Amino acid sequence: MITKEIKALFCNIVDAENYDDSKVGRLVYSYDATPQYQSMPDAVIAPKNTAEISEIIKICNNYKIPIVPRGSGTNLCAGTCPTEGGIVLLFKHMNSILEIDEENLTVTVEPGVITLDMIAAVEKKRLFYPPDPSSMKISTIGGNINENSGGLRGLKYGVTRDYVIALEIVLPNGDIIQTGGKLAKDVAGYDLTRLFVGSEGTLGIITKAILKLIPMPETKKTMLALYQDLEAAARSVSKIIANKIIPTTLEFLDQPTLKVVEDFAQIGLPTDVKAVLLIEQDGPLEVVEQDMKKMAEICKAEKAISVQVAQSEEEAENLRTARRSALSALARLKPTTILEDATVPRSEIAQMVTAINEIAEKYSLDICTFGHAGDGNLHPTCTTDVRNHEEIERVEQAFAEIFQKAVELGGTITGEHGVGMMKAPYLHLKLGEAGIAAMKAMKQAFDPNNIMNPGKIFAKDTRKRVVVEK
Amino acid sequence: MITKEIKALFCNIVDAENYDDSKVGRLVYSYDATPQYQSMPDAVIAPKNTAEISEIIKICNNYKIPIVPRGSGTNLCAGTCPTEGGIVLLFKHMNSILEIDEENLTVTVEPGVITLDMIAAVEKKRLFYPPDPSSMKISTIGGNINENSGGLRGLKYGVTRDYVIALEIVLPNGDIIQTGGKLAKDVAGYDLTRLFVGSEGTLGIITKAILKLIPMPETKKTMLALYQDLEAAARSVSKIIANKIIPTTLEFLDQPTLKVVEDFAQIGLPTDVKAVLLIEQDGPLEVVEQDMKKMAEICKAEKAISVQVAQSEEEAENLRTARRSALSALARLKPTTILEDATVPRSEIAQMVTAINEIAEKYSLDICTFGHAGDGNLHPTCTTDVRNHEEIERVEQAFAEIFQKAVELGGTITGEHGVGMMKAPYLHLKLGEAGIAAMKAMKQAFDPNNIMNPGKIFAKDTRKRVVVEK
């Protein structure tokens, strides 16, 4: 509850136009990209700088007011839904690229920078920031860091965590700390930098980041391998890696996904095949050509019915864009789209794809599957309707089985979307009670009053995944 | 203090031959590779498996007995010196390579495996584990993980942290947890895997690890660039990176180091130059050749007086071995060798090298400098004699200035050796009081009774770096 007195304290810190407790203003930030989670914040604050954030958080800590840092809200785990009310903190005034350092190959950013804007800025200097979540056109770097976002280039280049080398953080007590540096190596104490990456705004507020860049690869090639057999496609993925080729991108789309994506994007994707692999390699020209040739051979040996290399960068970009639009395309089919990201070791992809299809059949559900096959990171996606309670019950049971299966195969309940509220009821499958207890102790150490994005990561009592009672 | 009753509890867990409280047995484990730190443990225990460790740690936690996990003790930060007595835990029975998974490109190991043995085993399968600390012939993987060890290939491939993807950990309360998996992506809760890497045995005991491997590079080339000007060598390092070439190895040795290394290794190193860069590139042949050519041009443009490419793998291996033997070679000069690892952004190497030389002159000390120049990770090394109290006083002042300078240049007090006891008095320079407070809160969360390797990372009262009063 924000009383008049507390509001006055906040308004002493930020200008009046940056404190909004109007109903409309709060409604806009009552939800994020995750279906079916909504909760009204008490106020929305847009600070101008780190010092203001430090003052704001001190008040929150003093009065035990929840605070939810939020970028563009594109996450899919209800990670920025203000579940317990309180403050939603916006970074619209903290959205500058502060420096591109060509000697140390780093970029320094404020959290509100749009991912793609930053990627474009560094590419102008022939530098490369690999993490490319599908939402990168609107997502912010701050959001990417808090969720440890992945993307299509993760197989070869890793995820957001692999590129964050320094952070400025405001802790719940108002302390401002600096972690890491423009350093290839730093072992001065615990690695707070990597700990905060993927901490979902539950430990403190990231107010600045230094990201590692790498030289821009010389060239890139793209191809599609078409299959009439899902498992053959999945086997091709394992075989490519086992043959010691690490392509930049190795994406999988099944036929239902292909059909809706083609319907949406109209770029001439094949819709008469059971699955495709979208494969990309980058690097020096000779290496790329050699790898593409070898991968095409492996796919054919694994019963790909055809392998087509994109003939232009435009065609390649169309294919990538089509893949990135899979969620948007599927979302058109039915009122509710539940996109998950169960992840398994690469060697288990074929088994996981089979299991997903069996589970979909068992519960009579429409589950399309696409995703980052090279990472073992699949996105089984169910198109459904939350108003159909009977079906939603089946959806819940099906996803619980999918998570259970992923963990059985040595996998995890979430590869890149985060836990948030959505996966919290399943976290014990991966971590066990002892693992959760260790993480809760850490949370308690940083945030004893539980003001930082409360209700996320750690489940309360509910096991319901889709519909949350208010 | 281990009473007879407590000893009986331990001896119920491990066989009699794996519990040693003889004076000789304890003396052997009273110190590690760090000069001038020594403290007697109460007993040395060599458990056979994780279950035994869980039982042992429960007793330690119950009776507040310190426990120090120890590999081969090659660390240079007094990280495994049993400062406050208690148990030294050995991994000599837990030294198996459990699995090399060629489909997922992983190796699963127990902590006691010797680093080089594991590297050799995976290389037989054409797989590559890049971290190669100079001590790798005798260091253990468990030690490498706890210290987040670096090495000569860190510039291109990163450090130990970048290859640890899953851990089995025994927590101070005896809980056994599993983190991560054979997974390219996992965001199920906080990243305990990376947190434990580099935690110096202060949070729990690592009992198993899964490490990521990558395909073996096709080829490798090695060259030496010779300079009559230290700063020209340092500038070459920055220029190479700024030209968007990331070589595997980019090592720096100054003339004093060259002289002692040549005296020790006798392989015909040039001793009449002020500095050399040892440069290596690996990858596909065409790329390697192109990069080597470009780097040679950059070195020459920066006033290298000569650039010599190794004509055979034997010659290249000699050069690498010579570089790795720098510490051993320097250690022959005087009774005491203090090797440090202040680290700066790559762009600041020239400034840092200059500062080190100025500081050495100011305090009339012999400080040689070598190290991983490409990482900005230098090893200023002072040959001295701890019995000369007046000189040691100057050594302390000189290193304090070196650390201060590194931090001023945006660097850190330790790039790869860890904090241990040695750097604890300087940690505030890098982290500030707020950063240290945050780390202490984490330590308290995991280890409320402070049994895990107490006295490390966090300084008590002393600021003395070399001589520790007992």
Side-chain angles (χ1 to χ4, degrees), chain A residues 101-105 125-127 147-148 150-152 154-155 159 161-162 171 175-192 194-195 197-200 202-203 214-216 218 238-239 241-246 284 286-287 290 341 343-348 372 374-377 410-419 427 430-431 433-435 437-443 445-446 457-458, chain B residues 101-105 125-127 147-148 150-152 154-155 159 161-162 171 175-192 194-195 197-200 202-203 214-216 218 238-239 241-246 284 286-287 290 341 343-348 372 374-377 410-419 427 430-431 433-435 437-443 445-446 457-458:
Chain A
D101 180 339
E102 294 185 76
E103 271 197 286
N104 291 302
L105 309 192
K125 297 184 184 292
R126 300 280 308 148
L127 291 167
E147 299 294 331
N148 190 18
L152 271 60
L155 173 55
V159 293
R161 176 181 293 117
D162 300 305
L171 295 174
D175 279 350
I176 300 166
I177 62 170
Q178 315 287 336
T179 73
K182 288 181 182 174
L183 298 168
K185 291 170 167 177
D186 179 18
V187 290
Y190 304 134
D191 189 348
L192 294 185
R194 271 75 176 193
L195 176 64
V197 178
S199 65
E200 305 189 11
T202 64
L203 300 178
I214 58 175
M216 202 54 190
E218 183 185 309
S238 301
K239 282 280 164 64
I241 310 286
N243 272 276
K244 302 186 174 55
I245 303 172
I246 310 287
E286 314 83 47
V287 178
Q290 201 179 50
D341 70 328
T343 300
V344 293
R346 287 166 194 139
S347 58
E348 308 303 321
H372 318 295
D375 299 328
N377 180 197
T412 184
I413 60 166
T414 174
E416 60 179 7
H417 292 170
V419 179
L427 193 62
K430 174 69 175 77
L431 299 179
E433 297 309 327
M439 289 188 189
K440 277 190 175 167
M442 284 174 62
K443 162 77 173 169
F446 276 95
I457 300 184
F458 306 109
Chain B
D101 180 339
E102 294 186 76
E103 270 197 287
N104 291 303
L105 310 191
K125 297 184 186 291
R126 299 282 306 148
L127 291 168
E147 299 294 331
N148 190 18
L152 269 61
L155 173 55
V159 293
R161 177 181 293 117
D162 300 305
L171 295 175
D175 280 350
I176 300 167
I177 63 171
Q178 314 286 337
T179 72
K182 287 181 182 175
L183 298 168
K185 290 172 167 176
D186 179 19
V187 290
Y190 304 133
D191 189 348
L192 294 185
R194 273 76 178 192
L195 175 64
V197 179
S199 64
E200 305 190 12
T202 64
L203 300 178
I214 57 176
M216 201 55 191
E218 184 184 308
S238 301
K239 283 279 164 67
I241 310 285
N243 272 276
K244 302 185 175 54
I245 303 172
I246 311 286
E286 314 83 45
V287 178
Q290 200 179 50
D341 71 329
T343 300
V344 293
R346 289 168 193 137
S347 58
E348 309 303 320
H372 318 295
D375 298 328
N377 180 197
T412 184
I413 59 166
T414 173
E416 59 180 7
H417 292 171
V419 179
L427 193 62
K430 174 69 176 75
L431 300 177
E433 297 309 327
M439 290 189 188
K440 277 189 175 168
M442 286 175 61
K443 162 76 174 170
F446 277 95
I457 300 185
F458 306 109

Side-chain angles (χ1 to χ4, degrees), chain B residues 108-361:
Chain B
T108 305
V109 292
E110 292 183 314
V113 175
I114 301 295
T115 313
L116 193 58
D117 291 351
M118 190 206 72
I119 290 178
V122 304
E123 288 192 353
K124 275 190 195 152
K125 297 184 186 291
R126 299 282 306 148
L127 291 168
F128 185 41
Y129 176 76
D132 61 340
S134 291
S135 56
M136 66 183 176
K137 273 190 191 173
I138 41 171
S139 72
T140 65
I141 287 291
N144 293 171
I145 294 172
N146 275 296
E147 299 294 331
N148 190 18
S149 301
L152 269 61
R153 303 190 284 229
L155 173 55
K156 184 170 183 175
Y157 291 108
V159 293
T160 302
R161 177 181 293 117
D162 300 305
Y163 294 87
V164 182
I165 57 173
L167 292 173
E168 180 182 81
I169 299 165
V170 180
L171 295 175
N173 63 5
D175 280 350
I176 300 167
I177 63 171
Q178 314 286 337
T179 72
K182 287 181 182 175
L183 298 168
K185 290 172 167 176
D186 179 19
V187 290
Y190 304 133
D191 189 348
L192 294 185
T193 310
R194 273 76 178 192
L195 175 64
F196 268 78
V197 179
S199 64
E200 305 190 12
T202 64
L203 300 178
I205 298 175
I206 292 166
T207 51
K208 194 157 73 179
I210 302 179
L211 308 173
K212 183 175 92 165
L213 304 172
I214 57 176
M216 201 55 191
E218 184 184 308
T219 188
K220 172 143 96 170
K221 289 211 178 280
T222 305
M223 68 183 176
L224 273 189
L226 316 186
Y227 294 84
Q228 288 301 3
D229 176 356
L230 249 73
E231 288 172 39
R235 270 198 315 272
S236 298
V237 172
S238 301
K239 283 279 164 67
I240 288 170
I241 310 285
N243 272 276
K244 302 185 175 54
I245 303 172
I246 311 286
T248 308
T249 296
L250 195 35
E251 296 285 313
F252 171 90
L253 293 92
D254 68 3
Q255 190 169 32
T257 310
L258 278 170
K259 282 185 174 165
V260 290
V261 169
E262 174 56 20
D263 189 40
F264 179 76
Q266 306 273 345
I267 59 159
L269 283 176
T271 54
D272 56 345
V273 296
K274 286 281 191 301
V276 304
L277 292 179
L278 170 66
I279 305 173
E280 298 200 288
Q281 182 60 301
D282 62 11
L285 184 62
E286 314 83 45
V287 178
V288 170
E289 284 180 343
Q290 200 179 50
D291 283 354
M292 293 300 271
K293 190 164 159 261
K294 274 195 222 161
M295 288 191 284
E297 283 163 11
I298 292 166
C299 292
K300 283 177 191 161
E302 286 297 330
K303 299 191 196 153
I305 55 166
S306 128
V307 177
Q308 308 167 352
V309 177
Q311 293 306 307
S312 66
E313 176 48 29
E314 191 194 348
E315 191 185 336
E317 185 55 30
N318 279 342
L319 291 172
R320 287 191 287 271
T321 304
R323 160 60 190 88
R324 285 205 176 89
S325 69
L327 171 57
S328 321
L330 285 163
R332 299 162 75 220
L333 293 187
K334 287 197 188 172
T336 309
T337 310
I338 315 282
L339 184 150
E340 279 304 344
D341 71 329
T343 300
V344 293
R346 289 168 193 137
S347 58
E348 309 303 320
I349 303 232
Q351 274 208 64
M352 192 67 210
V353 169
T354 307
I356 291 169
N357 289 334
E358 286 169 2
I359 292 166
E361 196 169 337

Side-chain angles (χ1 to χ4, degrees), chain B residues 401-415:
Chain B
E401 278 194 30
I402 287 171
F403 298 145
Q404 183 67 52
K405 184 72 186 177
V407 172
E408 276 171 28
L409 292 172
T412 184
I413 59 166
T414 173

